[in-house]
Amino acid sequence: MFLRFLFLFSLGHWAVQAQHLPIWTKNKLETTLNSQNDTVYVLNFWATWCKPCIEELPEFKKAQQQWEGRAVRFVFVSLDFLSKREQSLLPFVTKNLSWAEVVQLDAGNPNDWIPIVDENWSGAIPATLFWSAKDRVFREEALNYPQINSIIQTLTH
């Protein structure tokens, strides 16, 4: 009986996770990128199949903990295929990113939305966009904590 309860509870947990993992369209991405307030935004573009993306996540976690309580918002934008959402993305997020704000991007043709993020972005991941009302910094590479922290410091001062 207990195992049945545990199984049903875990199914319910997956359903809750699916509800809390929004899907962003091109319009939502564009609206977010046009936000102008006192917040520093950190949008990290990644996927579960990207080894360097996964390897840099602990660096972002450390940075997010460092900036907790301040006007810095980290959003992890998954580029996983929608067809892999239930099979790969949701289990990965539940296991490894419970501490993070994660969204899944369904913005159509990448050539239509990549230039909105940065006109020089080749489309490779990991990639991270940092921005504030003051400035924008785009990095198309895996980052470590000192790099992340330094960029955020530049945008907050």
Side-chain angles (χ1 to χ4, degrees):
M1 186 69 170
F2 177 73
L3 289 177
R4 184 168 188 244
F5 169 77
L6 193 59
F7 175 73
L8 291 174
F9 175 78
S10 68
L11 285 179
H13 181 70
W14 288 112
V16 170
Q17 274 302 111
Q19 293 170 2
H20 294 321
L21 187 70
I23 297 175
W24 280 11
T25 61
K26 178 184 171 192
N27 288 341
K28 175 62 178 166
L29 177 65
E30 202 163 17
T31 300
T32 301
L33 293 175
N34 288 324
S35 297
Q36 294 292 321
N37 52 42
D38 65 345
T39 300
V40 172
Y41 293 88
V42 180
L43 255 64
N44 177 258
F45 295 86
W46 68 284
T48 58
W49 44 262
C50 169
K51 186 176 180 183
C53 299
I54 304 310
E55 290 172 346
E56 75 176 351
L57 289 174
E59 303 295 308
F60 278 98
K61 182 177 184 179
K62 186 175 177 182
Q64 182 171 309
Q65 290 169 337
Q66 168 72 29
W67 291 94
E68 190 173 343
R70 294 184 245 173
V72 179
R73 180 179 173 198
F74 291 79
V75 181
F76 297 85
V77 182
S78 169
L79 301 182
D80 284 274
F81 296 111
L82 286 176
S83 63
K84 300 291 185 181
R85 181 178 173 90
E86 299 293 326
Q87 175 188 5
S88 301
L89 181 59
L90 292 176
F92 183 88
V93 168
T94 300
K95 182 177 179 185
N96 301 295
L97 288 168
S98 60
W99 51 270
E101 179 180 356
V102 181
V103 300
Q104 186 174 17
L105 190 62
D106 182 23
N109 184 340
N111 293 329
D112 293 338
W113 59 265
I114 284 175
I116 295 169
V117 176
D118 188 89
E119 61 188 27
N120 297 313
W121 185 14
S122 74
I125 55 175
T128 306
L129 176 64
F130 302 80
W131 86 94
S132 67
K134 189 168 134 175
D135 202 3
R136 293 169 74 104
V137 176
F138 180 76
R139 294 291 175 87
E140 188 175 2
E141 62 184 329
L143 299 172
N144 61 38
Y145 169 75
Q147 292 170 313
I148 298 164
N149 197 42
S150 175
I151 295 167
I152 294 171
Q153 284 179 345
T154 299
L155 294 174
T156 58
H157 292 95

